[in-house]
């Protein structure tokens, strides 16, 4: 059986999720929504994803045809033919959209721009795939929380406890976004602690974690500086932690100095060489030479491609909600192999 997936919101995240779903052999994109005709519709047409209107009213639907796009109907029509909807609308529209999903009696997934309280359940592949099996709805956590989970969950699983302080050095805006800033300033998030670290608790409540955040004038990646206190008797060394992460899916470890990858600019250039569309980097990048365990205290940096690290998690999450793959590692392997084959990289 092929899982029928609707994508509500075909922007930065939605178009990537659509491609990643299209790459899989156990699911298919039955439609994507746009609020109205715009250049983004051309991509849906090119990919053969049926185009629907975000809203049900006839006037809005008619506007697509006026601009030369075939629109198959409103959101309700799309929800009626899907098994699961991946909500990729801008954050804070969740409550409104959730009511529509409940009315359509369809499984639903939100993104990290929505709060955990909306769904009462959140998701990352490595932390809590099992908890999400067969659930009616959930939220794939944000790019930052996904990144933190990728490296902290295996550490926690080895140690049995973990106390973490981290700082999110956040990109000001996505590359395609002309509305946000700062463009010549560093902007501290004055809500302390920031929501990013504590959001890890929604998928791994056992990890004690707090964070600060600053926004900086760059568009390409977030960078995390992380200090993790391990319990006595952890039995780890800097080398064994690197080994652990080398064996962790969707984490890349590279020596910065040896590979001449010393900033996020080179990380993204390396990502473009991989050959995924949009130059995406689904993996979390950890600088090998920036990891140091001193006594019980671990220091490291990691870089997050904000537009794409959550994309493979969305595919795994679909399998969790549909109950088709109980083993998170098996789902991750399947997702990643299919995406690699899709882009021939
Ligand atoms: N961008 C990131 O770096 C990133 C990373 C991780 C998670 N997220 C989260 O992912 C979600 C989507 O973010 P994004 O960056 O993809 O946003 P985006 O680029 O602004 O795309 C959002 C899309 O949804 C459409 N839309 C507008 N109103 C809608 C509605 N009522 N219902 C459905 N769709 C609607 C938009 O309009 P049009 O159809 O008019 O284009 C657009 O295509 C947010 O929760 C965000 O926090 C974003």
């Amino acid at each position: 059986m092929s899982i029928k997936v609707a994508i509500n919101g075909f922007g930065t995240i939605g178009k990537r999720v659509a491609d990643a779903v299209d790459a899989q052999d156990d699911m298919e994109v039955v439609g994507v929504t746009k609020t109205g005709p715009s250049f983004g519709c051309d991509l849906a047409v090119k990919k053969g994803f049926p185009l629907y209107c975000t809203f049900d009213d006839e006037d809005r639907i008619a506007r697509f045809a006026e601009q030369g796009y075939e629109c198959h109907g409103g959101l309700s029509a799309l929800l009626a033919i899907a098994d699961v909807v991946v909500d990729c609308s801008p954050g804070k529209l969740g409550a409104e959209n959730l009511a529509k999903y409940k009315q359509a009696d369809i499984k639903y997934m939100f993104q990290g721009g929505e709060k955990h309280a909306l769904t009462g359940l959140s998701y990352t592949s490595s932390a809590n795939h099992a908890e999400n099996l067969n659930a009616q709805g959930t939220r794939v956590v944000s790019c930052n929380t996904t990144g933190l989970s990728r490296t902290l969950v295996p550490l926690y699983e080895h140690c049995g406890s973990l106390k973490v302080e981290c700082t999110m050095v956040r990109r000001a805006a996505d590359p395609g976004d002309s509305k946000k800033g700062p463009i010549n300033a560093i902007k501290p998030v004055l809500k302390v602690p920031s929501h990013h670290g504590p959001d890890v608790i929604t998928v791994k409540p056992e990890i004690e974690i707090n964070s600060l955040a600053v926004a900086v004038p760059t568009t390409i990646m977030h960078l995390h500086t992380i200090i993790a206190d391990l319990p006595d008797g952890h039995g780890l060394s800097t080398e064994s932690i690197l080994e652990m992460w080398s064996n962790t899916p969707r984490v890349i470890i590279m020596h910065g100095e040896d590979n001449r990858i010393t900033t996020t600019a080179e990380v993204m250039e390396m990502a473009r060489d991989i050959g995924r569309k949009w130059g995406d980097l689904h993996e979390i990048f950890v600088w090998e030479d920036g990891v140091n365990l001193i006594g019980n205290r671990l220091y490291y940096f990691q870089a997050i491609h904000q537009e794409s690290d959550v994309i493979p998690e969305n595919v795994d999450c679909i399998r969790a909600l549909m109950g088709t793959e109980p083993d998170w590692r098996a789902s991750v392997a399947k997702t990643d192999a299919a995406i690699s084959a899709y882009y021939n990289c």
Side-chain angles (χ1 to χ4, degrees), residues 8 11-13 34-35 54 88-90 93 111 113 171 174 306:
N8 190 21
T12 308
I13 298 298
K34 291 295 282 181
T35 59
T54 312
C88 300
S89 64
L93 292 172
Q111 305 300 318
R171 61 91 179 95
D174 285 339
Q306 76 278 354

Side-chain angles (χ1 to χ4, degrees), residues 116 120-123 127-135 202-205 320:
H116 176 76
L121 189 62
S122 292
Y123 180 88
N128 67 343
H129 185 84
E131 196 188 340
N132 280 268
L133 282 176
N134 297 305
T202 66
V203 290
K204 203 69 182 170

